[in-house]
Structure formats: structure tokens, C-alpha cells
Amino acid sequence: MTDLTKLTLAEARDGLRRKSFSATELAKAHIMAIEAANSALNAYVLPTPEHALAQAAESDKRLAEGTARPLEGLPIGHKDLFCTKGIRTTACSKILDDFKPPYESTVGQNLWDAGAVMLGKLNNDEFAMGSSNETSAFGPVISPWRRIGKDGKPSTDKLVPGGSSGGSSAAVAAGLCLAATATDTGGSIRQPAALTGTVGIKPTYGRCSRWGIVAFASSLDQAGPIAKTVRDAAMMLGAMASHDPKDSTSVDAPVPNYEAALGKGVKGLRVGVPKEYRVPGMSREIEDLWQKGIDWLKSAGASIHEISLPHTKYALPAYYIVAPAECSSNLARYDGVRYGLRVPGKDVIDTYENTRAAGFGKEVRRRILIGTYVLSAGYYDAYYLKAQKVRTLIKRDFDEAWSKVDVVLTPTTPSPAFAFGEKSGDPIAMYLEDIFTVTVNMAGLPGISVPGGLSSEGTPLGLQLIAKPFDEETLFRAGQAIEDAAGRLTVQNEWWTAGAGKAREAAKKPDKSPGGKR
């Protein structure tokens, strides 16, 4: 019997329709995998097995009745930035303590309405602020990937899974869910996807509702999926996206059938290669990967064009003014009065200060301070207003490029996955991890990361595609062409627990519970 945790989302969907296994069996296989591996990987901050089994039982009824919904019975992980009704949501920060929202995020509700099964809440950088998942109040997520030494043996170095959606990328790569929700403010879907050999798409700003997602930077945040394949990502985004009257930035536009776009190919597609992305210090293997991507798309029938995006070099510094400014405003609501952590003081101001000092981690405090500074009297025009003008110029660069090309191809990250502590002591080095991804958020564009191959250390590398606003279909078409050429990347060395094998063997045994099929 096939290991159910090895299936893609599409394969699991087809297997459920064929009655090769039940939704309950599928959920149990992943629950067992989580129980066996989570202590080593720390991908889930709150597994919800009982909730998952109840949803799976409902899916089995619908499958038996022939009333299956698009994602019926498919178990996924849910980033802890999405509010879940009656289920703890903390944004992986001490300041939200044991907060249980009285409402469901729109994206989450869309997924449950489509029949998806929630396995639990996934770890992330605190308030989504980070590029390595080292800032979570629940501790760091460990990547399932390991470096390969010169002797051909796996290293014992613990690698980061990327951030902020590190729990999502690690869980998908390790088979602890079929797919996962994630959010992207400056690269937090695409960067972790690149570092773990998964597919991650950040849709156009406004494509997915932000209602019920804990805010970091409101003009930049956008929800999207991390999945095993391009097809799986298309399935997930189709369910997640919608117009939402509760979100003023949600765009009232029809959601295409993204999966249907995958068979169209890339013949005649114009692919832009921006010369400004050849940054000083970029490693040779990233250059080589980029060239492979160019060659693959050209072989598939696309034409290649060099383009210029002249304001790219200003994107990162402008981003790290805009994002902290919005963060300082959004996080002002956490004051120890209405919900979450409260540390009493001698008066209201003292309570505010005590609560925020105890509740926020180092990186969050750093960004609040930066944001408050750039918004302060005397500095607003010099920093924040100027950064917003740069943002307009970045968008204009892309607008001009779209008259020449249909999609832009770049690397996703400047380097492969790094070990814990290698960059966390140097904020600038950590911020540079987003050098290829922040332009997409600043311009409100859709971007996808697709695995392109392995580094010299045997760890994943990703290629990024960027498209016109609301043209995610072209991203999926081009992403499929790269995936077809590069092949899927899967973790070969399941080092994280000896118990994982036993759990999976147990999951293969016939399910004798009501509704169980084999």
C-alpha cells in the first residue's frame, strides 16, 4: 500500500474519488506522522487531531453520497497567523498568549467550505517577522533537509526552513500535511518554499482576503499556499481566493480555474530576465540555476528577453522602511487590555510597557522601533514618504516591462538554506535573504517559487517567476514547465525520527473503523 503521506494533493484527491482509501485513513496517516516527527521538526505549534478526524468523517459521508467538494477530505496545515474560531491563534508570539478567536479567517473558511481538513496550526516567525523561523515564541522550526558533506554523508547541522512560513514549508516537505496555508509580506511564502524544495505562490495583492489574518504590514501582506507541486498549489489557491466585502483591499474579480491553465504550455510566452538581479556576490551555482531556468523555458517554446528594472536596488531598503512603519501601527493594539497577555503595572501606562516588553520578541521590538522612528515628526518625509515614492517607481518599472514580456524569471534566494545562528546575529545579512522577493510585494504582483535543483551541498534551490497583476494563470503555466524540466525534489534522508517509519507502517494497515476502506 502506498504511503499516504507521500501523495501529492492531486493524487490524494484522485485516490479518495476512486475509494482507494478514506478521508479518515488519510487524516490518520498524517496525524501519526506529526506525532512521530513534530518533536524533532517543531513544525506544528498546535496539532488538532480530534478536529481533523471530525472533519474527515464528514468528508467520508460526502464522498459516499457523491457530494464531494473540490478539496474534500484533503488534510492540510494552517499557519498560526490565520484566526481559527475557538482554536488558539497566537501568531507565534507570547503577547497573544492563549487567544482563541471568536471568528474564522475568510481564507480558512473558504478552505473548510471546499472540504479541506485542518491538521493543526503551523509554526511561523513571530508576527511573520523573519526569514528563518528563528523568532517564534515556540522555538525554531527545523528543516527536514540536511547538507551533504564532501564525504557524501549528511551533516548534523540544523538548517532553517526559511521564514516566516517555515512551519508550512517544513511540514509540506516532510510529509506532515499535503499542503499548507502561508502568508507573504516580503517573500515569506516563496523564500521558505525555495529552501525546502516545495512550491509557493504569493498571489496578487487583493486576490485573497486578509480578513482574519493577524496583520504585519497591511499594504504588503497576502495569503497563499505552499504545496508539493505546481498543480497542488493551483488547487489550493483556487479554493483560498475570493472577493470578500469584509476586506476593503479585496478585489472583486472572478477566480479562474488555475488547474486548467497547467496544460496550456509556454509556447510563445515572452520571458523577461532582469539584468539588475545579477547582484554582486551572488554565488556561481545560483547563476547556473538561473541559466538552467532560461534554457528550460526556451526549450519549451518561450522566448527570452533581457529587461531592465532600474529601481530594483532601492527595493530592499524601501521595504524595510514601509514594512516596519506599518508593523508599528498594526501592533499598537497589543496593549494587555483587551486580549492576550497582561502584565500588571502601577498604572495603565506601566501595564502597557510591562506587557509589550514581556510579550514581544527581539525582532518584533526592533521593527516596531524602526517603524515608530520613520513615522515620527521630522523623519516621516525623509524616510517613509520617500520610501513610498520609491515603491511607486518600482511598480512603474514593472508596468513598463509588461509591454515587452509576459513573465519575469529570477532566482528566489541569493543562497541555499543556512544553519541556525549563521545569520540571526546579523540583521542586515538576514534581511538580504529577501533581496529577490520584496519587489513583488512592493508592486503588488503575483510571484511563484518552483524548485530548480540542488545546491553543491545537496539542499534545494528555487526559481522565481513574476507576472502581471491577477495573471496567476501564466505563473502556473511557466511554473509547470520548470517543474517538468527540473523534476520534483523530495527529502531522501528522513533523519528526524526513527519513529516516523513505524508510524507510517501502522498507517498502512487496514482501517476497521466505520467508513474505513482499503
Side-chain angles (χ1 to χ4, degrees):
M1 174 62 193
T2 302
D3 182 342
L4 300 184
T5 66
K6 300 289 189 186
L7 298 175
T8 66
L9 198 71
E11 290 168 347
R13 174 191 60 185
D14 297 343
L16 286 170
R17 302 296 191 277
R18 292 194 304 267
K19 295 182 169 49
S20 300
F21 43 83
S22 70
T24 298
E25 289 176 291
L26 191 59
K28 284 183 176 180
H30 286 87
I31 289 167
M32 289 180 179
I34 292 167
E35 290 173 348
N38 202 51
S39 61
L41 299 179
N42 199 30
Y44 283 86
V45 296
L46 183 68
T48 55
E50 293 180 2
H51 183 82
L53 291 173
Q55 287 182 313
E58 175 62 26
S59 289
D60 280 328
K61 290 179 184 178
R62 284 180 170 271
L63 287 161
E65 294 166 355
T67 57
R69 297 162 290 182
L71 300 182
E72 198 69 71
L74 300 177
I76 66 171
H78 206 26
K79 187 175 180 178
D80 197 34
L81 219 62
F82 292 83
C83 287
T84 40
K85 186 175 182 179
I87 298 173
R88 191 188 74 193
T89 301
T90 69
C92 293
S93 176
K94 292 179 181 178
I95 206 159
L96 273 169
D97 197 25
D98 195 34
F99 175 58
K100 294 183 177 66
Y103 54 88
E104 193 80 30
S105 71
T106 297
V107 164
Q109 192 61 58
N110 288 347
L111 287 166
W112 319 143
D113 289 345
V117 170
M118 187 179 83
L119 292 166
K121 304 300 288 291
L122 291 163
N123 205 342
N124 52 258
D125 279 302
E126 184 181 7
F127 283 103
M129 298 181 199
S131 300
S132 62
N133 219 140
E134 292 178 272
T135 72
S136 170
F138 294 95
V141 178
I142 312 299
S143 173
W145 288 84
R146 285 279 173 91
R147 291 168 173 162
I148 302 299
K150 293 180 180 179
D151 58 0
K153 296 180 180 178
S155 166
T156 57
D157 292 341
K158 293 180 179 178
L159 302 183
V160 305
S164 66
S165 306
S168 301
S169 64
V172 173
L176 308 188
C177 57
L178 292 176
T181 58
T183 62
D184 193 311
T185 304
S188 289
I189 290 175
R190 291 158 290 150
Q191 188 252 15
L195 299 193
T196 57
T198 53
V199 176
I201 180 168
K202 178 258 171 200
T204 310
Y205 184 79
R207 176 62 88 184
C208 291
S209 172
R210 292 186 301 107
W211 196 83
I213 300 175
V214 178
F216 165 12
S218 300
S219 74
L220 300 165
D221 297 343
Q222 189 61 193
I226 291 180
K228 295 177 181 178
T229 67
V230 172
R231 182 174 297 277
D232 289 2
M235 290 171 59
M236 282 286 288
L237 184 58
M240 294 169 69
S242 69
H243 173 241
D244 183 8
K246 297 191 292 294
D247 175 8
S248 63
T249 65
S250 174
V251 176
D252 189 0
V255 179
N257 182 343
Y258 295 124
E259 199 177 355
L262 299 180
K264 295 181 179 179
V266 296
K267 189 173 182 180
L269 200 70
R270 299 171 301 168
V271 178
V273 179
K275 61 183 181 181
E276 289 80 8
Y277 278 61
R278 299 188 188 280
V279 297
M282 187 165 69
S283 70
R284 183 67 195 176
E285 63 185 1
I286 297 294
E287 286 266 14
D288 291 344
L289 173 78
W290 197 0
Q291 186 59 52
K292 280 183 181 179
I294 292 168
D295 294 341
W296 289 332
L297 290 173
K298 191 174 181 179
S299 296
S303 59
I304 309 299
H305 308 266
E306 184 177 271
I307 61 171
S308 178
L309 300 171
H311 294 94
T312 296
K313 62 182 178 181
Y314 305 115
L316 198 65
Y319 170 84
Y320 277 103
I321 291 173
V322 174
E326 295 186 10
C327 128
S328 73
S329 177
N330 277 324
L331 270 59
R333 72 193 70 179
Y334 304 106
D335 53 15
V337 174
R338 288 162 288 185
Y339 44 78
L341 179 70
R342 182 174 190 174
V343 182
K346 60 181 182 291
D347 54 31
V348 173
I349 299 299
D350 201 37
T351 297
Y352 287 170
E353 292 175 349
N354 292 346
T355 300
R356 290 168 70 82
F360 289 138
K362 183 178 179 181
E363 181 61 30
V364 172
R365 293 199 301 270
R366 177 187 290 122
R367 297 198 193 195
I368 290 173
L369 288 169
I370 293 171
T372 304
Y373 177 81
V374 301
L375 290 176
S376 62
Y379 297 101
Y380 180 91
D381 289 352
Y383 293 104
Y384 184 71
L385 191 60
K386 190 172 287 185
Q388 290 288 23
K389 289 179 179 178
V390 170
R391 184 177 186 175
T392 300
L393 294 173
I394 291 167
K395 182 180 183 302
R396 190 178 299 167
D397 286 348
F398 279 104
D399 289 343
E400 292 176 3
W402 301 136
S403 64
K404 304 170 186 174
V405 299
D406 304 303
V407 68
V408 172
L409 175 69
T410 78
T412 309
T413 61
S415 63
F418 47 94
F420 284 99
E422 282 186 359
K423 298 186 180 182
S424 57
D426 183 353
I428 302 301
M430 189 68 78
Y431 294 169
L432 285 169
E433 279 296 304
D434 300 330
I435 194 167
F436 297 139
T437 54
V438 294
T439 52
V440 174
N441 301 79
M442 294 290 272
L445 300 172
I448 191 171
S449 178
V450 180
L454 297 175
S455 71
S456 57
E457 298 172 330
T459 55
L461 298 171
L463 286 165
Q464 176 181 230
L465 293 156
I466 307 167
K468 302 172 188 175
F470 300 100
D471 192 16
E472 289 85 3
E473 289 171 285
T474 295
L475 287 185
F476 286 124
R477 287 170 57 198
Q480 186 65 61
I482 289 175
E483 184 177 270
D484 289 344
R488 278 186 59 200
L489 298 183
T490 56
V491 182
Q492 300 299 312
N493 173 30
E494 295 186 2
W495 59 267
W496 49 88
T497 175
K502 295 178 182 178
R504 286 175 174 153
E505 284 302 316
K508 295 177 188 179
K509 295 180 180 178
D511 181 6
K512 298 180 181 180
S513 61
K517 298 181 185 296
R518 183 63 72 202

PDB file of all heavy atoms in Angstrom, residues 49-50 87 106 126 159 171 213 236 261 296 316 321 339 383 468 474 486:
ATOM      1  N   PRO A  49      -5.740  16.918  16.182  1.00  0.00           N
ATOM      2  CA  PRO A  49      -6.148  15.624  15.627  1.00  0.00           C
ATOM      3  C   PRO A  49      -7.647  15.342  15.737  1.00  0.00           C
ATOM      4  O   PRO A  49      -8.254  14.802  14.800  1.00  0.00           O
ATOM      5  CB  PRO A  49      -5.329  14.609  16.434  1.00  0.00           C
ATOM      6  CG  PRO A  49      -4.918  15.336  17.678  1.00  0.00           C
ATOM      7  CD  PRO A  49      -4.755  16.761  17.280  1.00  0.00           C
ATOM      8  N   GLU A  50      -8.266  15.687  16.877  1.00  0.00           N
ATOM      9  CA  GLU A  50      -9.692  15.426  17.028  1.00  0.00           C
ATOM     10  C   GLU A  50     -10.507  16.248  16.042  1.00  0.00           C
ATOM     11  O   GLU A  50     -11.475  15.752  15.439  1.00  0.00           O
ATOM     12  CB  GLU A  50     -10.122  15.716  18.463  1.00  0.00           C
ATOM     13  CG  GLU A  50      -9.520  14.754  19.487  1.00  0.00           C
ATOM     14  CD  GLU A  50      -9.973  15.062  20.898  1.00  0.00           C
ATOM     15  OE1 GLU A  50     -10.787  15.993  21.090  1.00  0.00           O
ATOM     16  OE2 GLU A  50      -9.506  14.370  21.827  1.00  0.00           O
ATOM     17  N   ILE A  87     -10.117  28.029  18.344  1.00  0.00           N
ATOM     18  CA  ILE A  87      -8.840  27.300  18.376  1.00  0.00           C
ATOM     19  C   ILE A  87      -7.714  28.315  18.527  1.00  0.00           C
ATOM     20  O   ILE A  87      -7.666  29.307  17.800  1.00  0.00           O
ATOM     21  CB  ILE A  87      -8.644  26.455  17.108  1.00  0.00           C
ATOM     22  CG1 ILE A  87      -9.745  25.396  17.006  1.00  0.00           C
ATOM     23  CG2 ILE A  87      -7.265  25.797  17.100  1.00  0.00           C
ATOM     24  CD1 ILE A  87      -9.733  24.616  15.705  1.00  0.00           C
ATOM     25  N   THR A 106     -11.312  34.481   6.545  1.00  0.00           N
ATOM     26  CA  THR A 106     -12.021  34.199   5.295  1.00  0.00           C
ATOM     27  C   THR A 106     -11.317  33.115   4.495  1.00  0.00           C
ATOM     28  O   THR A 106     -11.962  32.204   3.954  1.00  0.00           O
ATOM     29  CB  THR A 106     -12.146  35.474   4.453  1.00  0.00           C
ATOM     30  OG1 THR A 106     -12.934  36.427   5.180  1.00  0.00           O
ATOM     31  CG2 THR A 106     -12.819  35.195   3.118  1.00  0.00           C
ATOM     32  N   GLU A 126       7.610  35.100  14.654  1.00  0.00           N
ATOM     33  CA  GLU A 126       6.677  35.914  15.440  1.00  0.00           C
ATOM     34  C   GLU A 126       6.104  37.057  14.601  1.00  0.00           C
ATOM     35  O   GLU A 126       6.838  37.857  14.037  1.00  0.00           O
ATOM     36  CB  GLU A 126       7.392  36.476  16.672  1.00  0.00           C
ATOM     37  CG  GLU A 126       6.467  37.261  17.585  1.00  0.00           C
ATOM     38  CD  GLU A 126       7.177  37.841  18.799  1.00  0.00           C
ATOM     39  OE1 GLU A 126       8.415  37.753  18.864  1.00  0.00           O
ATOM     40  OE2 GLU A 126       6.485  38.378  19.669  1.00  0.00           O
ATOM     41  N   LEU A 159      19.373  23.002   9.691  1.00  0.00           N
ATOM     42  CA  LEU A 159      19.152  24.072   8.726  1.00  0.00           C
ATOM     43  C   LEU A 159      17.811  24.766   8.968  1.00  0.00           C
ATOM     44  O   LEU A 159      16.858  24.153   9.451  1.00  0.00           O
ATOM     45  CB  LEU A 159      19.189  23.523   7.299  1.00  0.00           C
ATOM     46  CG  LEU A 159      20.467  22.811   6.859  1.00  0.00           C
ATOM     47  CD1 LEU A 159      20.358  22.389   5.404  1.00  0.00           C
ATOM     48  CD2 LEU A 159      21.685  23.708   7.063  1.00  0.00           C
ATOM     49  N   ALA A 171       6.602  21.370   7.060  1.00  0.00           N
ATOM     50  CA  ALA A 171       5.554  20.355   7.174  1.00  0.00           C
ATOM     51  C   ALA A 171       5.242  19.731   5.822  1.00  0.00           C
ATOM     52  O   ALA A 171       5.060  18.509   5.707  1.00  0.00           O
ATOM     53  CB  ALA A 171       4.297  20.968   7.785  1.00  0.00           C
ATOM     54  N   ILE A 213      -6.561  37.463   9.236  1.00  0.00           N
ATOM     55  CA  ILE A 213      -5.135  37.158   9.266  1.00  0.00           C
ATOM     56  C   ILE A 213      -4.476  38.201  10.166  1.00  0.00           C
ATOM     57  O   ILE A 213      -4.695  39.404   9.983  1.00  0.00           O
ATOM     58  CB  ILE A 213      -4.501  37.203   7.866  1.00  0.00           C
ATOM     59  CG1 ILE A 213      -5.182  36.188   6.933  1.00  0.00           C
ATOM     60  CG2 ILE A 213      -3.008  36.913   7.936  1.00  0.00           C
ATOM     61  CD1 ILE A 213      -4.696  36.266   5.489  1.00  0.00           C
ATOM     62  N   MET A 236      -4.929  24.637  -4.364  1.00  0.00           N
ATOM     63  CA  MET A 236      -5.071  25.362  -3.102  1.00  0.00           C
ATOM     64  C   MET A 236      -5.491  26.812  -3.337  1.00  0.00           C
ATOM     65  O   MET A 236      -6.418  27.324  -2.686  1.00  0.00           O
ATOM     66  CB  MET A 236      -3.761  25.327  -2.328  1.00  0.00           C
ATOM     67  CG  MET A 236      -3.487  24.023  -1.614  1.00  0.00           C
ATOM     68  SD  MET A 236      -4.519  23.795  -0.138  1.00  0.00           S
ATOM     69  CE  MET A 236      -3.779  24.981   0.997  1.00  0.00           C
ATOM     70  N   ALA A 261      -5.220  25.818 -16.350  1.00  0.00           N
ATOM     71  CA  ALA A 261      -4.178  26.551 -17.077  1.00  0.00           C
ATOM     72  C   ALA A 261      -2.912  25.732 -17.273  1.00  0.00           C
ATOM     73  O   ALA A 261      -2.082  26.057 -18.136  1.00  0.00           O
ATOM     74  CB  ALA A 261      -3.837  27.840 -16.327  1.00  0.00           C
ATOM     75  N   TRP A 296      15.423  25.948 -19.926  1.00  0.00           N
ATOM     76  CA  TRP A 296      14.228  25.099 -19.863  1.00  0.00           C
ATOM     77  C   TRP A 296      13.023  25.778 -20.506  1.00  0.00           C
ATOM     78  O   TRP A 296      12.301  25.159 -21.276  1.00  0.00           O
ATOM     79  CB  TRP A 296      13.904  24.755 -18.401  1.00  0.00           C
ATOM     80  CG  TRP A 296      14.860  23.805 -17.768  1.00  0.00           C
ATOM     81  CD1 TRP A 296      15.601  22.839 -18.389  1.00  0.00           C
ATOM     82  CD2 TRP A 296      15.184  23.716 -16.376  1.00  0.00           C
ATOM     83  NE1 TRP A 296      16.365  22.161 -17.474  1.00  0.00           N
ATOM     84  CE2 TRP A 296      16.127  22.671 -16.230  1.00  0.00           C
ATOM     85  CE3 TRP A 296      14.775  24.407 -15.238  1.00  0.00           C
ATOM     86  CZ2 TRP A 296      16.656  22.308 -14.995  1.00  0.00           C
ATOM     87  CZ3 TRP A 296      15.302  24.057 -14.012  1.00  0.00           C
ATOM     88  CH2 TRP A 296      16.225  23.030 -13.875  1.00  0.00           C
ATOM     89  N   LEU A 316      14.892  46.832  -1.397  1.00  0.00           N
ATOM     90  CA  LEU A 316      15.075  46.280  -0.056  1.00  0.00           C
ATOM     91  C   LEU A 316      15.090  47.369   1.022  1.00  0.00           C
ATOM     92  O   LEU A 316      14.364  47.263   2.017  1.00  0.00           O
ATOM     93  CB  LEU A 316      16.340  45.420  -0.002  1.00  0.00           C
ATOM     94  CG  LEU A 316      16.426  44.443   1.176  1.00  0.00           C
ATOM     95  CD1 LEU A 316      15.347  43.390   1.090  1.00  0.00           C
ATOM     96  CD2 LEU A 316      17.796  43.772   1.196  1.00  0.00           C
ATOM     97  N   ILE A 321      11.614  50.131   5.350  1.00  0.00           N
ATOM     98  CA  ILE A 321      11.027  51.330   5.945  1.00  0.00           C
ATOM     99  C   ILE A 321       9.506  51.181   5.978  1.00  0.00           C
ATOM    100  O   ILE A 321       8.859  51.389   7.002  1.00  0.00           O
ATOM    101  CB  ILE A 321      11.434  52.596   5.159  1.00  0.00           C
ATOM    102  CG1 ILE A 321      12.927  52.877   5.355  1.00  0.00           C
ATOM    103  CG2 ILE A 321      10.598  53.800   5.606  1.00  0.00           C
ATOM    104  CD1 ILE A 321      13.459  53.994   4.482  1.00  0.00           C
ATOM    105  N   TYR A 339      -7.131  41.631  25.081  1.00  0.00           N
ATOM    106  CA  TYR A 339      -6.954  40.185  24.898  1.00  0.00           C
ATOM    107  C   TYR A 339      -5.480  39.849  24.998  1.00  0.00           C
ATOM    108  O   TYR A 339      -4.621  40.731  24.954  1.00  0.00           O
ATOM    109  CB  TYR A 339      -7.505  39.724  23.541  1.00  0.00           C
ATOM    110  CG  TYR A 339      -7.142  40.613  22.386  1.00  0.00           C
ATOM    111  CD1 TYR A 339      -5.880  40.573  21.809  1.00  0.00           C
ATOM    112  CD2 TYR A 339      -8.070  41.521  21.868  1.00  0.00           C
ATOM    113  CE1 TYR A 339      -5.534  41.395  20.762  1.00  0.00           C
ATOM    114  CE2 TYR A 339      -7.737  42.360  20.816  1.00  0.00           C
ATOM    115  CZ  TYR A 339      -6.471  42.289  20.260  1.00  0.00           C
ATOM    116  OH  TYR A 339      -6.139  43.121  19.215  1.00  0.00           O
ATOM    117  N   TYR A 383      12.015  59.656   5.391  1.00  0.00           N
ATOM    118  CA  TYR A 383      12.099  58.192   5.265  1.00  0.00           C
ATOM    119  C   TYR A 383      10.829  57.572   4.668  1.00  0.00           C
ATOM    120  O   TYR A 383      10.855  57.032   3.567  1.00  0.00           O
ATOM    121  CB  TYR A 383      12.405  57.564   6.626  1.00  0.00           C
ATOM    122  CG  TYR A 383      13.773  57.911   7.147  1.00  0.00           C
ATOM    123  CD1 TYR A 383      13.946  58.846   8.155  1.00  0.00           C
ATOM    124  CD2 TYR A 383      14.909  57.303   6.613  1.00  0.00           C
ATOM    125  CE1 TYR A 383      15.211  59.174   8.633  1.00  0.00           C
ATOM    126  CE2 TYR A 383      16.179  57.618   7.080  1.00  0.00           C
ATOM    127  CZ  TYR A 383      16.318  58.556   8.092  1.00  0.00           C
ATOM    128  OH  TYR A 383      17.568  58.868   8.544  1.00  0.00           O
ATOM    129  N   LYS A 468       2.074  39.664 -14.383  1.00  0.00           N
ATOM    130  CA  LYS A 468       1.227  40.853 -14.304  1.00  0.00           C
ATOM    131  C   LYS A 468       0.174  40.674 -13.204  1.00  0.00           C
ATOM    132  O   LYS A 468      -0.135  39.543 -12.805  1.00  0.00           O
ATOM    133  CB  LYS A 468       0.510  41.079 -15.641  1.00  0.00           C
ATOM    134  CG  LYS A 468       1.427  41.238 -16.835  1.00  0.00           C
ATOM    135  CD  LYS A 468       0.621  41.246 -18.123  1.00  0.00           C
ATOM    136  CE  LYS A 468       1.535  41.204 -19.345  1.00  0.00           C
ATOM    137  NZ  LYS A 468       0.775  41.100 -20.617  1.00  0.00           N
ATOM    138  N   THR A 474      -0.629  32.519 -15.796  1.00  0.00           N
ATOM    139  CA  THR A 474       0.653  32.462 -16.509  1.00  0.00           C
ATOM    140  C   THR A 474       1.765  31.941 -15.609  1.00  0.00           C
ATOM    141  O   THR A 474       2.647  31.192 -16.050  1.00  0.00           O
ATOM    142  CB  THR A 474       1.021  33.856 -17.051  1.00  0.00           C
ATOM    143  OG1 THR A 474       0.042  34.234 -18.031  1.00  0.00           O
ATOM    144  CG2 THR A 474       2.395  33.860 -17.700  1.00  0.00           C
ATOM    145  N   ALA A 486      12.795  20.257 -14.348  1.00  0.00           N
ATOM    146  CA  ALA A 486      13.666  20.053 -13.181  1.00  0.00           C
ATOM    147  C   ALA A 486      13.306  18.810 -12.383  1.00  0.00           C
ATOM    148  O   ALA A 486      14.155  18.210 -11.721  1.00  0.00           O
ATOM    149  CB  ALA A 486      13.608  21.284 -12.273  1.00  0.00           C
TER     150      ALA A 486
END
